[in-house]
Amino acid sequence: MPEALERKYPKAGESWEWHWLFPSRQLMVDPRSGLKRRHHVLDATFQHAIRLGAGKAALNKRVTPHTLRHSFATHLLETGTDIRTVQDLLGHVDVATTQIYTHVMQKPGLGVRSPLDG
């Protein structure tokens, strides 16, 4: 845990939400505590894995971790997720930044259901 967070939430490192989504294979020595711990995978390692996966899938476009972010946002909007929710998930300050994803949607509005449809 980062130093300030460790002081503020001493038990946070034991809870699930603070575990790494992409953990490193190696254990490292924490310079503050001297304990051996697992940290996150390096950015370059993650990017390399994405590139390898795109190659194995025979994708003929450039694929990066940021591409996954765009796909995530676009699919959320296509399935009817509120644009403010997507804005919050992506961490955009201005909703105009999130609205860019509405221009690339393949099926705009298909996820939106009327209360009378059910």
Side-chain angles (χ1 to χ4, degrees):
M1 295 290 299
E3 223 172 299
L5 284 175
E6 192 170 20
R7 281 193 307 273
K8 188 172 181 179
Y9 307 108
K11 295 279 188 186
E14 298 171 19
S15 65
W16 172 248
E17 54 269 7
W18 287 100
H19 286 245
W20 297 110
L21 182 59
F22 299 105
S24 175
R25 288 185 199 159
Q26 291 93 11
L27 294 175
M28 306 284 285
V29 176
D30 185 317
R32 287 178 291 153
S33 67
L35 296 172
K36 267 191 168 184
R37 296 184 176 184
R38 190 173 311 274
H39 295 277
H40 61 87
V41 71
L42 296 174
D43 291 347
T45 306
F46 182 69
Q47 290 168 357
H48 182 69
I50 295 289
R51 243 181 267 119
L52 284 177
K56 287 181 181 178
L59 299 177
N60 60 357
K61 293 186 176 185
R62 182 171 178 255
V63 179
T64 66
H66 202 76
T67 307
L68 299 178
R69 178 180 165 88
H70 289 297
S71 295
F72 173 69
T74 302
H75 287 287
L76 284 175
L77 291 169
E78 285 178 346
T79 57
T81 305
D82 176 64
I83 195 162
R84 298 283 181 184
T85 302
V86 177
Q87 174 189 2
D88 187 46
L89 288 170
L90 296 178
H92 292 159
V93 174
D94 188 352
V95 75
T97 308
T98 313
Q99 286 175 327
I100 293 167
Y101 294 105
T102 62
H103 300 294
V104 295
M105 291 170 53
Q106 297 293 320
K107 307 169 232 167
L110 288 183
V112 179
R113 292 178 43 108
S114 164
L116 304 174
D117 288 344

